[in-house]
């Protein structure tokens, strides 16, 4: 209880409204910038009555500052980048991995006691080829493998790194599905080509069978060949019959001897026609 009336009146004028979320976030950010490490940050947040759960600490860790000399301070991201540069990682790899801007990379390079000029990408066509790019990517990943790198990035406290890991996983999934689809398409095309070849062979065999059947039927249905003209000497009786046949049809023939060849051919042709008619 106040014994001084002035103190009591001043206490009544104090604003006791709890701070809003924006004010709490701003206060937590200021506390993080003045904290030395994670434990110190937890103590400061607790003393100020601000949320200090593990998730809150992880979210604020990138804003911690580390003293460097008497006047310079560096964020946790810059300190991490400087450490990676000192360990031999390339500036481009550090920038890509941590999602740094050019200014942040330059700051990290200065704290790592390295030349501040970031080497420009090599534009020589003889070295900047897909093969060398693939080899560089493989060297960057190292022995841990892509999956280990993505797992590390997926659990990174920085949202930008987690987003990059998610994008990379999405691209890898898309490429895997595309490769599977292409392989399936090639297999289907090979099966179609094989089926077409088998169909063409079967059609050729069917045509051969049909052609053979038609030839046999045609040979079976063909009329017998007409008897060839008679050769050799004819008997006297046949010659007499030929002369009688010729006179009956207006031909002039002698009473003896062999009639003319034209008469003999006409006689043979007439008798062949008669024989065919009788056979049918």
């Amino acid at each position: 209880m106040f014994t001084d009336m002035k103190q009591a009146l001043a206490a009544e004028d104090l604003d006791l409204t709890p701070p809003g979320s924006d004010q709490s976030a701003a206060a937590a950010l200021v506390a993080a910038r003045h904290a030395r490490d994670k434990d110190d940050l937890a103590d400061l947040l607790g003393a100020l009555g601000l949320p200090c759960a593990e998730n809150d600490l992880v979210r604020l860790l990138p804003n911690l500052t580390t003293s460097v000399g008497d006047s310079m301070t560096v964020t946790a991201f810059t300190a991490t980048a400087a450490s990676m540069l000192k360990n031999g990682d390339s500036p481009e790899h550090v920038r890509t991995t941590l999602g740094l801007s050019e200014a942040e990379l330059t700051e990290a390079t200065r704290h790592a006691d390295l030349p501040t000029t970031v080497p420009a990408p090599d534009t020589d066509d003889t070295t900047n080829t897909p093969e060398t790019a693939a080899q560089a990517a493989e060297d960057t990943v190292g022995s841990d493998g892509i999956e280990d790198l993505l797992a590390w990035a997926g659990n990174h406290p920085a949202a930008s790194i987690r987003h990059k890991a998610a994008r990379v996983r999405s691209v890898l999934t898309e490429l895997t599905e595309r490769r599977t689809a292409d392989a399936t398409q090639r297999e289907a095309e090979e099966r179609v080509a094989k089926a077409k070849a088998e169909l063409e062979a079967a059609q050729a065999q069917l045509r051969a069978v049909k052609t053979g059947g038609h030839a046999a039927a045609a040979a079976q249905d063909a009329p017998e060949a007409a008897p060839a003209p008679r050769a050799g000497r004819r008997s006297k009786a046949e010659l007499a019959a030929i002369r009688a046949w010729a006179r009956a049809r207006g031909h002039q023939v002698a009473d003896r001897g062999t009639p003319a060849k034209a008469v003999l051919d006409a006689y043979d042709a007439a008798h062949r026609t008669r024989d065919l008619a009788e056979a049918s």
Side-chain angles (χ1 to χ4, degrees):
M1 184 173 182
F2 291 101
T3 58
D4 188 343
M5 184 59 66
K6 291 183 179 180
Q7 292 180 351
L9 293 175
E12 291 180 357
D13 292 335
L14 291 176
D15 186 8
L16 300 180
T17 303
S21 58
D22 293 340
Q23 293 176 330
S24 297
L29 181 60
V30 173
R33 290 175 177 173
H34 289 79
R36 294 186 301 273
D37 51 29
K38 182 178 179 181
D39 294 336
D40 190 29
L41 174 61
D43 293 339
L44 287 175
L45 293 176
L48 295 173
L50 298 174
C52 55
E54 183 66 22
N55 292 337
D56 300 317
L57 296 177
V58 171
R59 178 174 52 83
L60 293 171
L61 282 179
N63 298 288
L64 292 179
T65 57
T66 303
S67 298
V68 180
D70 296 333
S71 59
M72 290 192 301
T73 59
V74 57
T75 65
F77 269 133
T78 306
T80 302
S83 176
M84 294 175 66
L85 291 171
K86 289 181 179 180
N87 290 334
D89 291 328
S90 66
E92 186 63 28
H93 172 55
V94 173
R95 179 172 57 185
T96 303
T97 303
L98 298 180
L100 301 178
S101 64
E102 289 288 348
E104 291 172 334
L105 181 61
T106 302
E107 182 73 12
T109 304
R110 184 169 67 252
H111 288 301
D113 295 330
L114 297 175
T116 56
T117 302
V118 179
D122 190 0
T123 57
D124 188 359
D125 293 338
T126 59
T127 58
N128 192 18
T129 61
E131 291 77 6
T132 56
Q135 183 63 38
E138 183 178 355
D139 295 340
T140 299
V141 172
S143 60
D144 292 339
I146 295 178
E147 187 58 36
D148 292 341
L149 180 61
L150 291 177
W152 168 83
N155 296 321
H156 200 278
S160 60
I161 303 301
R162 295 196 300 272
H163 292 164
K164 288 181 179 180
R167 288 198 301 270
V168 171
R169 286 189 181 277
S170 177
V171 171
L172 290 176
T173 301
E174 181 180 354
L175 291 176
T176 301
E177 293 176 352
R178 178 59 183 271
R179 181 177 62 179
T180 302
D182 289 349
T184 303
Q185 180 178 350
R186 285 195 301 271
E187 292 177 359
E189 290 175 350
E190 291 175 357
R191 290 197 299 269
V192 169
K194 183 178 180 181
K196 286 183 177 179
E198 293 177 352
L199 178 60
E200 291 176 357
Q203 289 176 340
Q205 184 178 3
L206 179 60
R207 286 194 297 268
V209 172
K210 288 183 176 180
T211 302
H214 291 163
Q220 183 177 1
D221 296 338
E224 295 181 359
R230 298 183 61 178
R233 298 182 62 180
R234 300 175 189 264
S235 64
K236 292 181 179 181
E238 185 178 5
L239 291 175
I242 292 173
R243 285 193 291 268
W245 177 86
R247 290 190 187 100
R249 286 161 178 75
H251 295 283
Q252 293 182 359
V253 293
D255 294 337
R256 295 182 179 181
T258 302
K261 183 177 183 302
V263 175
L264 295 176
D265 291 341
Y267 175 82
D268 292 336
H271 283 72
R272 282 199 303 271
T273 302
R274 185 190 65 186
D275 293 340
L276 290 175
E278 292 177 354
S280 61

